[in-house]
Amino acid sequence: MNSQWFILLVSFLFSLCLSPAFALKKSYVVYLGGHSHGHELTAEDLDRATNSHYELLGSYVGSERAKEAIFYSYTRHINGFAAILEEEEAEAISKHPEVVSVFLNRARKLHTTRSWEFLGLERDGNIGIASAWKKARYGEDTIIANLDTGVWPESQSFNDEGMGPVPSRWKGSCQNNTKAGVPCNKKLIGAKYFDKGYTAAVGKRPSESPSASESPSARDDNGHGTHTLSTAGGGFVPGANVFGFGIGTAKGGSPKARVAAYKVCWNGGLCYDADVVAAIDEAIHDGVDVISISLGGSPLDYFVDSISIGSFHAATKGIVVVCSAGNEGPYLQTAVNLSPWIFTVAASTIDRSFTTIVALGNKKHIKGESFSNKTLLKESFYPLIDAASAHLPNVSSADSKLCLHNSLDPEKVKGKILVCIIGVTGRVYKGEVAALAGAVGMILANNVYSQNETFADPHVLPAAHISYIDGEQVLSYIKSTKSPMAYMTRSRTELGIKPAPVIASFSSRGPNVITPVILKPDITAPGVNIIAATGTSFAMKSGTSMSCPHISGIAGLLKTLHPDWSPAAIKSAIMTSASYRDNNGEPISINNGSAKATPFDYGAGHVRPNTAMDPGLVYDLNTTDYLNFLCAIGYNKAQIANFSDKPYECPESFDLVDFNYPSITVPNLNSSVTLTRRLKNVGGLNVTYNAVVKSPPEITVSVEPKTLKFETSLEEKEFKVTLKANKAGAATDYVFGSLLWTDDGKKHSVRSPIVVKSA
Ligand SMILES: *[C@@H]1O[C@H](CO)[C@@H](O)[C@H](O)[C@H]1NC(C)=O
Ligand SMILES: *[C@@H]1O[C@H](CO)[C@@H](O)[C@H](O)[C@H]1NC(C)=O
Ligand SMILES: *[C@@H]1O[C@H](CO)[C@@H](O)[C@H](O)[C@H]1NC(C)=O
Ligand SMILES: *[C@@H]1O[C@H](CO)[C@@H](O)[C@H](O)[C@H]1NC(C)=O
Ligand SMILES: *[C@@H]1O[C@H](CO)[C@@H](O)[C@H](O)[C@H]1NC(C)=O
Ligand SMILES: *[C@@H]1O[C@H](CO)[C@@H](O)[C@H](O)[C@H]1NC(C)=O
Ligand SMILES: *[C@@H]1O[C@H](CO)[C@@H](O)[C@H](O)[C@H]1NC(C)=O
Ligand SMILES: *[C@@H]1O[C@H](CO)[C@@H](O)[C@H](O)[C@H]1NC(C)=O
Ligand SMILES: CC(=O)N[C@H]1CO[C@H](CO)[C@@H](O)[C@@H]1O
């Protein structure tokens, strides 16, 4: 077995160097759509499905080769297999009438920017979900799955004290077969690992990797999976007090939910497509309610994208799938996980900072951030030096001001507070370089691009991360005097920081590069300096990886409160109740400070869990709507027939702008367009709603009818929205507005962003 993999790897490497003169084998996912097993799955159903996969592949490569080539047969809900094939074979198979798509088994990556091991701390004061918790019984008995790096079962976040029996609908289990296995309890009810896709692509099992060997189990050797899973559904962990930063209770969004880990990411966060498909197929079968996925690749067409395929089948089975938008911001068109059946999450700050004050010799005080527990030895001023002037003779000041490795002259730095500029190398690493050169502290200043965005990092020395403008102040102070001096206070937890939320600069942005008429991301949630369990301890991490499980947890609460709601209804409730404003009452801004955020940054806005529990109305979608969507973007009938259990005839005409999404985007307006939306009453009876429009600049928006009366529960009402350019040449770039439905007592506000650009 090993030598076979080795030969495969060698041949792969060879063919990279030489022109591919001999057949190159790679691993592929062959996607055949959905299964139509009918009712309860039987062992015979699964056998039949597997046999059909061997037969299909066998008809191309012979049954012997087929047996060797297939390493996954997807038999439960997702129909397909993963196999090692030659390129020509993959090409030929993709033409088979039953095959929807064939795509390379590629690695996706985790959406975390940084990760550090740390000890426990409170996670309070981020979002006011206390009453949503009570109302939704803390997400009791909702089952939240997480596709990630696995789970650390001994974490206190997964303690099952006080939990009732596991819901009887649960079919999952924990793989506790080895010493490193993961035992279940009544809180952590599932833990499985998927590594065949990794093995096929890399040529070695994850446990055989020379750099980092991970045991073949669902155990989390990385920390990311435990962090995201405990953010979504971790239980209460009281009394964490570390470094004097704070006393508090760590908890997830749905603290009484059951959780299940599906490990698909290995060795530093490589998550292969074939494993992702296998894990989602398994999770659907096991009976989860919410799937949280904090990873992604580059944007791909919906049915050559493992996360999109898996989440399509999950959504049609009533499962909410929540994914991170990615960390490729602040650039536009960087958001990933773009399918309309995915709930796509951006990241923003919370109102907490770990503040340290920098006092300069000229009596100026500057606020910085640090999560370092180190303090200066004595309470007095220290000499201050700009790293640009502390370079070694053979190094440029352009390098030393960034505090690059081997750039600093210890003679000049020793015993001083050193000013470094961010960029090129990691922030914590610069602190290590500074400490190595003998600095007693570090002031880390932003550059013109990073402006006001500061991070509380666990530096190895006393440190303060400060804004660009403040950095310029410090540098000009240094120039102004012969003996510049400074002092830095110990870092303290500060709550009520304003403004918050602010969109994180790393958060990926719209427009949607696959289907611009669907606004992405959908929502923003806390994703900067988030503290959660990583093992038996806690860590602070940032990324859309961290904001995604916040939404998963809140979706879990809604599932407990409204078990009969569709994934689209839950998503609509969270989107239409979101806020556009920060805690100053101002429109949410982006982290470079100079600009207001737009729906391309935050979708429908910042999540408000309390209001999401009772949205009044929802924009619902069912499987038929998704199939119509696929018809409209040009999928052929044969493909679409295979996505659903039954044959499906595309409607004569279905306009994409009419897709009942909770946001309205028209990326190609030709003077005027009229689109349709449908609202469903999930609130009181005999309630009248009125439309309030905020037209985007140079566009007139009208709604017909302007009033909707809902007499019964679950009643649906249609309305039309007409967008009209006020003049030729209007909205040549994207402009933004909103449509709001409010009821008489203004108890409910159902808001959708409107995003328009002229063709
Ligand atoms: C898991 O396996 C270990 C030994 O490998 C065993 O001690 C433990 O009881 C098992 N736990 C469960 C819940 O089965
Ligand atoms: C500071 O944090 C480190 C972990 O980064 C820990 O080992 C050390 O004990 C802490 N020191 C104090 C004084 O708390
Ligand atoms: C500069 O000189 C130092 C020794 O003084 C050496 O360690 C370092 O590698 C040199 N750096 C470069 C960029 O040549
Ligand atoms: C901040 O971001 C906005 C939007 O991306 C951009 O227009 C502006 O130039 C940026 N400002 C700075 C100072 O980087
Ligand atoms: C950064 O913050 C300062 C103080 O809050 C503010 O005056 C400034 O406008 C912000 N930066 C930018 C680029 O807007
Ligand atoms: C899906 O929703 C549409 C629009 O409300 C409705 O006409 C259709 O019957 C629904 N389909 C199913 C399968 O529920
Ligand atoms: C505007 O016209 C173009 C070209 O005819 C067409 O592709 C596009 O769909 C139209 N836009 C809308 C919103 O109908
Ligand atoms: C709603 O209105 C209808 C007719 O107008 C009436 O029959 C019904 O009793 C009302 N229901 C409630 C709950 O007020
Ligand atoms: C798995 C499955 O349902 N495959 C079907 C896909 O569509 C083709 C042609 O429409 C059918 O022949 C297959 O049976």
Side-chain angles (χ1 to χ4, degrees), residues 510-512 516-521 575 580 597-604 657 661-669 673 675 677 694-697 699 701 721 723 731 733-739 752-758:
N512 182 332
V517 72
I518 303 294
L519 180 67
K520 290 285 171 175
M575 284 174 69
Y580 285 30
T598 74
F600 290 139
D601 304 311
Y602 55 59
V657 290
Y661 213 65
S663 52
I664 295 172
T665 306
V666 178
N668 51 0
L669 181 70
V673 67
L675 52 92
R677 285 288 185 278
K694 197 166 163 277
S695 291
I699 302 286
V701 178
V721 181
L723 308 173
D733 211 343
Y734 277 104
V735 287
F736 309 97
S738 63
L739 165 63
S752 298
I754 298 176
V755 178
V756 194
K757 184 166 163 282
S758 289

Side-chain angles (χ1 to χ4, degrees), residues 117-118 243 373-374:
E117 301 301 317
F118 240 70
F243 312 155
N373 61 356
K374 301 288 195 308

